[in-house]
Structures are given as structure tokens and as C-alpha cells.
């Protein structure tokens, strides 16, 4: 990465952490970087472009260093420990980045930034889930998502305490503590034969709906499809299986990272034969900004 561009990124990140994204101006970033305002615009089109580049740069750094440990022949538990040390180590050395993320949690994310957050979280959840099965075996698979979400909550809570409480504890102390709590959690779930709160079907839907890449209200669309199925079953028809198959196709489309509204436009036309569905079809069309055909 260009040295001047990197320098501007670092200065902007510190200002965003200190003052907040919306209260920092391009002129202030230029002044702190020791360059002209025009020079900032040579490398970045806007403040949004700046924060996008900051997040992308730091997430890529974390992913690359953690991925390096996948190429080793270390036991699963040791590999997990090393990855945690990398994750915590980068955030320790780049506290401004973590503070910036916390400060801007409520900001209105543009689609590119939302995509980066989504992809990073998917990758993080994937390596956590894989690591859990490698450490505790296949018996832990039903609890993979429960443990991933709980672990993520513990990790981020400890990070907040660490960053803002100025803890002097060594990184390995935190990593060891987190792994031991995972041991406790795994043992408790398995001993109790607990019913998982989040399963393989629930997690992908809720996560994808929350992080939808194109900003459309897919969660509401999914609920409307459920209403359609109820109506179809209430009015028996010779085309019952055809209608249900249409809904199944639409649900499979919802399982994609970026569902296609135009496919919905075509498939909704197949449901014109059920009068009771007309108001619901119109709601879906309105949500997706498409015309019924």
C-alpha cells in the first residue's frame, strides 16, 4: 500500500476514534496528515471512502495473519490459542481501530461497508465453528452456533474492558481464559443434553436478513411467504403442489447472499390463481420495488 495513503488512513482512523466519524472533517484529516486537502482527495473520494478503506485494511490484516496459522500442523486447541493471540494482539496494537468501531456502531452503513462487516463476521463465525468441532469433536456440532455467538459476546465484552479499562494483563491471559470458558460451556451443554437455541436453519436466515447486502427487507418478505403458504393450504386447489413448489423456489432464492428481485417478479405471477394471495403479493412487490405481472 502507498506510504502516503497509509499515513492518511492511520491519521483519519485516530481522528475518527477521538472525535467520531461525523465530527471529523477532511481538512482536519489533511492537517493531521501534514498534507493538503487536495492530496487527501487524490487517494480517497470522500470520508465514506476513507472509513471503508480503514475497515477493509484492518480486517484484511487480521484475516491474513489468522489464516497463516491454518497452514501449520499444530493441534486444534493450540491453533485456536494462536489465532486468538493474533486477533487480540492486532487490536491491542491498533486500539484506535477498535474504539472507532465502537463509536460508530450506530452509524448508517453504506452497502460496501455493510458487505465488509458481513463478510468478516461470516469468516469469523466459520473459523470459530470449525475450531469448536476440531477441539471438541462432532458431538459439539448441534451447539456450534450457540457457542459461536456466546463466545463472540464474551470476546467483545472483554475487549471493551481491556481497551477502555487500560488492563495491563498479557494477551495470553485473555486467550487462556476465553478457551477455558469454552471448555465450561461445551461440558455444560453436552452434560445437560441441552436443546440448541440456534440451529443450522435459524442462524443463516437471521444473520443474512440482518446483513442483507442489497438493503432490501428480506426478513419481511420471508414472513409474507409464510402467510402465503397458510392461505394456500386453507384453499385446496388442483394446483396446490405447484403453488407450494413456487414458494419453495422463492425461499431457496432467499437463502442466497443476494436474492434477485426479478426472480420474485416472475414467480409471483405463478400465484395469481389464488385470489386470497393478491394483497400479500402486492405487499411483496411494494417491498421489493417491482411490478406484479
Amino acid at each position: 500500500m502507498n506510504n502516503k495513503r497509509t499515513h492518511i488512513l492511520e491519521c483519519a482512523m485516530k481522528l475518527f476514534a477521538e472525535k467520531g466519524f461525523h465530527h471529523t472533517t477532511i481538512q482536519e484529516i489533511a492537517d493531521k496528515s501534514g498534507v493538503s486537502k487536495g492530496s487527501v482527495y487524490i487517494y480517497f473520494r470522500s470520508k465514506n471512502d476513507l472509513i471503508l478503506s480503514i475497515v477493509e485494511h484492518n480486517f484484511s490484516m487480521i484475516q491474513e495473519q489468522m489464516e497463516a496459522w491454518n497452514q501449520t500442523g499444530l493441534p486444534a486447541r493450540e491453533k485456536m490459542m494462536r489465532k486468538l493471540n493474533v486477533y487480540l494482539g492486532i487490536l491491542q496494537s491498533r486500539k484506535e481501530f477498535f474504539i472507532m468501531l465502537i463509536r460508530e456502531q450506530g452509524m448508517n452503513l453504506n452497502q460496501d461497508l455493510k458487505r465488509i462487516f458481513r463478510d468478516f463476521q461470516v469468516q469469523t463465525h466459520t473459523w470459530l465453528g470449525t475450531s469448536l468441532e476440531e477441539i471438541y469433536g462432532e458431538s459439539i456440532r448441534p451447539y456450534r452456533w450457540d457457542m459461536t455467538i456466546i463466545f463472540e459476546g464474551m470476546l467483545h465484552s472483554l475487549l471493551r474492558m481491556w481497551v477502555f479499562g487500560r488492563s495491563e494483563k498479557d494477551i495470553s491471559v485473555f486467550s487462556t481464559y476465553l478457551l477455558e470458558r469454552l471448555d465450561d460451556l461445551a461440558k455444560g451443554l453436552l452434560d445437560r443434553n441441552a436443546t440448541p437455541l440456534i440451529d443450522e436453519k435459524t442462524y443463516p436466515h437471521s444473520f443474512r436478513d440482518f446483513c442483507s447486502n442489497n438493503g432490501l427487507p428480506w426478513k419481511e418478505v420471508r414472513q409474507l411467504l409464510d402467510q402465503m403458504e397458510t392461505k394456500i393450504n386453507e384453499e385446496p386447489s388442483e394446483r396446490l403442489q405447484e403453488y407450494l413448489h413456487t414458494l419453495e423456489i422463492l425461499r431457496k432464492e432467499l437463502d442466497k447472499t443476494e436474492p434477485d428481485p426479478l426472480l420474485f417478479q416472475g414467480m409471483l405471477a405463478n400465484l395469481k390463481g389464488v385470489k386470497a394471495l393478491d394483497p400479500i403479493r402486492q405487499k411483496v412487490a411494494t417491498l421489493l420495488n417491482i411490478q406484479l405481472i
Side-chain angles (χ1 to χ4, degrees):
M1 185 181 287
N2 181 286
N3 287 338
K4 183 178 285 189
R5 184 178 187 275
T6 303
H7 178 62
I8 294 171
L9 270 184
E10 296 292 330
C11 291
M13 181 175 69
K14 290 174 181 177
L15 283 171
F16 291 159
E18 178 186 342
K19 301 183 61 177
F21 175 76
H22 293 293
H23 292 96
T24 301
T25 67
I26 291 291
Q27 186 61 60
E28 288 173 324
I29 293 169
D31 292 343
K32 189 171 184 65
S33 304
V35 300
S36 68
K37 189 175 179 180
S39 293
V40 175
Y41 282 115
I42 289 175
Y43 296 102
F44 306 99
R45 297 185 301 273
S46 63
K47 273 203 309 178
N48 280 333
D49 191 25
L50 255 170
I51 197 166
L52 180 69
S53 298
I54 290 169
V55 172
E56 196 165 31
H57 173 64
N58 282 276
F59 280 173
S60 294
M61 186 189 307
I62 293 171
Q63 288 166 345
E64 287 171 8
Q65 293 192 32
M66 289 176 67
E67 179 62 27
W69 287 107
N70 283 335
Q71 312 308 318
T72 67
L74 291 172
R77 190 180 185 85
E78 179 65 19
K79 193 188 301 182
M80 176 81 157
M81 177 72 79
R82 298 294 180 90
K83 286 185 176 183
L84 280 174
N85 287 341
V86 166
Y87 188 88
L88 293 170
I90 290 176
L91 291 180
Q92 181 190 45
S93 63
R94 304 181 67 75
K95 287 185 179 181
E96 292 90 353
F97 176 62
F98 187 65
I99 293 171
M100 183 196 78
L101 291 182
I102 292 174
R103 286 193 66 128
E104 306 305 333
Q105 277 182 341
M107 69 181 175
N108 185 22
L109 303 181
N110 63 45
Q111 294 308 311
D112 287 333
L113 197 53
K114 188 180 287 188
R115 171 185 54 78
I116 292 172
F117 274 107
R118 181 202 63 200
D119 290 349
F120 180 75
Q121 192 154 25
V122 166
Q123 290 181 25
T124 301
H125 286 185
T126 298
W127 81 257
L128 274 173
T130 301
S131 297
L132 290 173
E133 290 192 35
E134 289 177 349
I135 294 171
Y136 302 108
E138 288 189 10
S139 60
I140 209 67
R141 182 171 296 171
Y143 307 109
R144 170 178 176 150
W145 297 120
D146 283 2
M147 292 184 67
T148 294
I149 299 301
I150 292 170
F151 180 80
E152 185 180 49
M154 288 193 298
L155 175 61
H156 289 167
S157 293
L158 282 172
L159 278 171
R160 282 185 174 86
M161 182 190 73
W162 191 22
V163 170
F164 295 108
R166 303 183 185 280
S167 173
E168 300 299 325
K169 292 185 183 297
D170 186 76
I171 289 172
S172 62
V173 173
F174 282 88
S175 298
T176 300
Y177 179 86
L178 286 166
L179 271 179
E180 288 176 349
R181 298 296 72 75
L182 274 180
D183 292 340
D184 296 338
L185 185 57
K187 185 176 187 305
L189 289 168
L190 292 172
D191 286 352
R192 290 183 175 85
N193 193 26
T195 301
L197 183 64
I198 306 168
D199 58 26
E200 293 288 343
K201 293 181 179 179
T202 305
Y203 170 81
H205 292 334
S206 59
F207 184 69
R208 188 201 55 259
D209 290 337
F210 178 74
C211 298
S212 177
N213 194 35
N214 52 20
L216 292 172
W218 297 112
K219 183 176 181 179
E220 289 87 343
V221 171
R222 187 180 300 281
Q223 292 169 346
L224 290 172
L225 293 185
D226 291 342
Q227 292 178 29
M228 285 185 183
E229 183 172 1
T230 300
K231 293 288 185 183
I232 289 171
N233 286 317
E234 287 175 352
E235 298 186 19
S237 164
E238 292 180 357
R239 299 178 62 188
L240 175 65
Q241 293 306 315
E242 179 186 340
Y243 295 146
L244 292 177
H245 181 61
T246 296
L247 291 181
E248 183 62 25
I249 291 173
L250 292 176
R251 287 192 174 108
K252 286 182 178 178
E253 185 66 18
L254 283 175
D255 288 337
K256 296 180 179 179
T257 303
E258 295 187 30
D260 184 1
L262 293 181
L263 183 139
F264 274 77
Q265 185 179 43
M267 298 307 293
L268 286 174
N270 293 346
L271 301 173
K272 284 196 296 187
V274 185
K275 196 72 175 174
L277 296 185
D278 287 349
I280 308 176
R281 289 172 61 243
Q282 186 57 59
K283 286 181 182 178
V284 173
T286 300
L287 286 171
L288 300 184
N289 195 27
I290 56 177
Q291 294 290 326
L292 289 177
I293 55 177

